[in-house]
Amino acid sequence: MTQLESIKKLRSETGLSMSLIKEALEKTRNYDEAKAYLHAYRQEDKHDQVGKKGMVVAKIDGDTAILYEVNAMTDFVTTHQAFKAFVHDLGELLINNPKTSLDALHGLKMGNSTVEDKRIQLETIIGEHVQISRFESVIKSPTQHFGMYQHFNHKSSTIVVLEGGSQDHADIIAKQVTAIGALHPVWEKTVIDQILASTLFGKDISVGTYLNDVQSSLLYTSRYELGETMTEHLSCSLLSKEACNIA
């Protein structure tokens, strides 16, 4: 392999700068040693720090819905095209692989590479550590309806499943879950019971009464808040275990 071929290959695999790759080859003299040198460089720099900024995203495609979170160090990443592209492509991959695990996800193909390779390349581009923190998928039946609420800055996202009613009704409940979740970070009742007992925003009736009026029932809800701990996570399901996957 010529030096130019080595540079191109290392650039493609690591996403690191040309100057750093040339420096690695000058110090090591061959591709394998240069790759090890660059790996050691990554382990020592700030990319290994963990952050709680980033994006949480909800996505629906047919009878499948997903929630997922990608973290970085600063709010800057939410305006960076490379970060947004990675989050978008990850969502497309997850919606087509809803039963995968968090560990297996990193080895899945994303374009001409793997998710893990793309993640590493992204770290170099934005100069921050990037972590796929969690994801959740749910599969509904044809008689059920998904509702989704996505906060404009991707700091909060919610998915609900209703039996009966319509998608419009489900979207209203998803927005309700997001709002009351922010007001009540500590849940003292069963999550669905507390949602049904809450007053529907903009209306003078409870959520339970509203759902009864539209002949619907709440079967599943999950809300992601950016950077939350699992003890703060709002989630409750009356669906079968086969319908849900939490990773």
Side-chain angles (χ1 to χ4, degrees):
M1 187 184 302
T2 67
Q3 185 177 47
L4 181 58
E5 289 172 335
S6 295
I7 290 172
K8 287 181 178 180
K9 188 173 183 180
L10 288 168
R11 173 69 172 170
S12 174
E13 291 177 342
T14 68
L16 293 170
S17 67
M18 295 290 283
S19 60
L20 186 59
I21 290 169
K22 288 179 180 178
E23 177 186 329
L25 285 168
E26 289 172 359
K27 289 185 175 181
T28 60
R29 298 297 179 183
N30 67 68
Y31 166 82
D32 291 330
E33 290 181 7
K35 187 174 182 179
Y37 175 92
L38 294 171
H39 177 73
Y41 167 83
R42 299 194 67 88
Q43 297 303 311
E44 294 173 0
D45 76 5
K46 65 182 180 181
H47 297 299
D48 286 329
Q49 300 175 29
V50 177
K52 290 298 182 182
K53 305 297 184 180
M55 299 170 72
V56 291
V57 182
K59 186 176 180 66
I60 296 172
D61 185 11
D63 289 337
T64 302
I66 56 169
L67 281 166
Y68 60 106
E69 179 173 358
V70 182
N71 293 126
M73 297 297 296
T74 69
D75 287 325
F76 161 76
V77 296
T78 61
T79 62
H80 199 294
Q81 289 302 317
F83 185 83
K84 292 194 292 185
F86 176 80
V87 172
H88 173 271
D89 292 347
L90 182 65
E92 294 295 312
L93 189 65
L94 285 171
I95 206 76
N96 289 304
N97 296 272
K99 294 297 186 180
T100 192
S101 66
L102 195 58
D103 288 338
L105 172 62
H106 290 270
L108 294 181
K109 294 290 288 184
M110 181 184 278
N112 59 358
S113 190
T114 65
V115 172
E116 179 63 9
D117 288 339
K118 293 287 188 181
R119 186 193 66 80
I120 292 172
Q121 291 174 16
L122 178 61
E123 287 186 336
T124 303
I125 294 170
I126 67 174
E128 299 184 24
H129 177 63
V130 175
Q131 181 179 21
I132 304 168
S133 302
R134 54 180 172 157
F135 75 89
E136 185 171 337
S137 69
V138 59
I139 299 173
K140 71 174 185 64
S141 74
T143 63
Q144 297 165 347
H145 297 281
F146 280 131
M148 182 180 83
Y149 182 78
Q150 180 81 66
H151 200 272
F152 74 94
N153 61 7
H154 289 279
K155 290 187 176 180
S156 180
S157 298
T158 298
I159 293 287
V160 304
V161 176
L162 297 188
E163 183 70 59
S166 68
Q167 183 181 330
D168 288 342
H169 298 137
D171 285 341
I172 288 171
I173 301 305
K175 187 173 184 179
Q176 175 81 4
V177 170
T178 303
I180 65 175
L183 293 173
H184 302 284
V186 178
W187 296 80
E188 298 178 353
K189 300 180 182 178
T190 300
V191 171
I192 285 182
D193 288 344
Q194 187 161 342
I195 293 168
L196 295 177
S198 67
T199 300
L200 187 65
F201 282 87
K203 304 285 185 179
D204 193 25
I205 58 174
S206 70
V207 170
T209 299
Y210 172 78
L211 290 176
N212 286 335
D213 289 345
V214 299
Q215 298 181 321
S216 182
S217 58
L218 178 60
L219 298 181
Y220 166 93
T221 183
S222 186
R223 187 210 70 216
Y224 276 17
E225 289 283 340
L226 185 64
E228 71 185 351
T229 65
M230 287 310 293
T231 57
E232 297 168 326
H233 175 55
L234 184 160
S235 180
C236 190
S237 177
L238 303 179
L239 298 172
S240 67
K241 291 183 179 180
E242 290 77 16
C244 304
N245 178 37
I246 300 175

